[in-house]
Amino acid sequence: LDIEEAEELAREVEIEHDGYGFERPSSIYHRFMTGLTGGKMSSSIPASHISLLDDPEDGYDKVKSAATGGRTTAEEQRELGGEADDCPVFELYSYLLAEADDEFVAEVYEECTGGERLCGGCKEQAAELMKEFLEEHQEKREEAKEILEDVDIDLSSDRRGLGGQDEEDAV
């Protein structure tokens, strides 16, 4: 359907159902994070993703082992700058580790592309932040389980994914 036909169809459906106040049809687009290995994330490649249920030390190690948008040598990195736009570690900062601190993300980006930030130090910082994130998340998860048990709510599900972990548990 073209946009005019879609709007007309939506209007007809709304009128037929006594005007439920339907929103106009729209499309949304999502950008998927690059896997830590540089390709796409895959449940069959554990090194490509971090699960919210991963041991915090494992999350730390996965970030430290992640591919980067860095240059071949530190000298070349300082001279030409890194390629933050092609870096899975930078994506972790921008999607998760910066906690909505846009200034921090911009600072990491500028330092990387300007050659001030080298990949080793950047990955160390990201790995520490990931470890802290996982520790905090898992503590909160346990607290939430206790609260849910107290009110007799069971969230267990037969739906599994990503190597036996709930699909919403993948970072």
Side-chain angles (χ1 to χ4, degrees), residues 10-11 13-15 17 19-25:
R11 239 183 256 102
V13 169
E14 184 171 5
I15 290 168
H17 293 87
Y20 285 108
F22 291 118
E23 294 291 325
R24 292 170 58 173

Side-chain angles (χ1 to χ4, degrees), residues 14-39:
E14 184 171 5
I15 290 168
E16 283 177 31
H17 293 87
D18 299 321
Y20 285 108
F22 291 118
E23 294 291 325
R24 292 170 58 173
S26 65
S27 296
I28 59 172
Y29 298 91
H30 299 276
R31 184 177 185 281
F32 292 103
M33 282 184 68
T34 306
L36 295 174
T37 54

Side-chain angles (χ1 to χ4, degrees), residues 129-145:
L129 291 170
M130 178 58 72
K131 181 179 171 184
E132 291 170 17
F133 170 82
L134 290 173
E135 288 169 347
E136 194 173 306
H137 169 76
Q138 290 170 10
E139 285 173 16
K140 289 178 181 176
R141 183 181 171 99
E142 289 306 312
E143 290 170 12
K145 280 183 182 178

Side-chain angles (χ1 to χ4, degrees), residues 21-90:
F22 291 118
E23 294 291 325
R24 292 170 58 173
S26 65
S27 296
I28 59 172
Y29 298 91
H30 299 276
R31 184 177 185 281
F32 292 103
M33 282 184 68
T34 306
L36 295 174
T37 54
K40 69 181 217 177
M41 286 188 195
S42 171
S43 61
S44 62
I45 306 171
S48 72
H49 70 277
I50 298 171
S51 166
L52 294 174
L53 299 177
D54 275 351
D55 180 89
E57 286 295 331
D58 291 342
Y60 175 93
D61 292 341
K62 286 180 179 183
V63 174
K64 288 290 286 185
S65 299
T68 67
R71 304 294 178 163
T72 308
T73 65
E75 183 179 298
E76 189 178 347
Q77 176 94 1
R78 285 185 186 99
E79 184 181 323
L80 302 174
E83 298 178 284
D85 294 320
D86 296 324
C87 181
V89 176
F90 178 73

